Amino acid sequence: MFSSKTTLITALLSVLQLAAAAPASSEGASSLTARSNSGEFTFYSPGLGACGITSSDSDLVVALAKGMFDAQTPNGNPNNNPLCGKKINASFQGKSVTVTIVDSCPGCAGAGLDLSPTAFSQLADQALGHVSGTWDFA
Ligand SMILES: *[C@@H]1O[C@H](CO)[C@@H](O)[C@H](O)[C@H]1NC(C)=O
């Protein structure tokens, strides 16, 4: 635990040093945005979501933080959000699960994810309630 934290901090520091040393180019900016997102993972019982699709607890689906989701909603119709159907690879402590975006999560801050119970269980015990994980578009 301690040594993996140290490794993480060392890795973060070298990324920061690289970022500081790199010239301010658009190439540098896009490689920064390609890094993993970090957020709080919770779980919920999916039903009819913002994408217009009905899902159940056993589906590998996710509701993306409302702020991130809504930013991509065209003309106020979330059914047409291009994020709908996109896949996310969510990771926590060496485990990962690939889930499909079907909904928006009003209670999720930042890059938080509200996972189906089945998806959450592939990462952590539901008894934890929530965990801090990382994710990327798959
Ligand atoms: C998901 O992300 C983890 C951590 O970065 C990686 O080890 C794993 O190979 C990824 N899985 C997929 C299906 O992309």
Side-chain angles (χ1 to χ4, degrees), residues 36 88-92 94-98 134-138:
S36 287
I88 277 178
N89 175 16
S91 303
F92 173 67
K95 296 177 182 170
S96 63
V97 62
T98 301
T134 59
W135 61 268
D136 277 299
F137 288 106

Side-chain angles (χ1 to χ4, degrees), residues 43 116-121 124-130:
F43 58 93
S116 70
T118 298
F120 188 92
S121 291
D125 191 331
Q126 288 183 18
L128 292 172
H130 60 99

Side-chain angles (χ1 to χ4, degrees), residues 8-129:
L8 180 63
I9 288 166
T10 306
L12 282 173
L13 283 175
S14 49
V15 166
L16 289 174
Q17 281 162 1
L18 283 176
S25 69
S26 57
E27 207 173 271
S30 68
S31 66
L32 284 179
T33 53
R35 274 163 38 193
S36 287
N37 298 286
S38 299
E40 212 53 23
F41 296 172
T42 48
F43 58 93
Y44 76 120
S45 247
L48 175 60
C51 294
I53 301 162
T54 300
S55 308
S56 66
D57 288 6
S58 58
D59 293 329
L60 293 177
V61 294
V62 64
L64 180 61
K66 184 174 164 63
M68 289 187 86
F69 184 91
D70 283 359
Q72 304 286 321
T73 292
N75 306 317
N77 185 349
N79 289 356
N80 295 333
N81 190 311
L83 291 171
C84 290
K86 280 240 158 82
K87 293 194 188 305
I88 277 178
N89 175 16
S91 303
F92 173 67
Q93 291 188 349
K95 296 177 182 170
S96 63
V97 62
T98 301
V99 288
T100 302
I101 298 173
V102 294
D103 203 357
S104 153
C105 171
C108 295
L113 300 181
D114 213 3
L115 298 158
S116 70
T118 298
F120 188 92
S121 291
Q122 294 199 13
L123 302 176
D125 191 331
Q126 288 183 18
L128 292 172

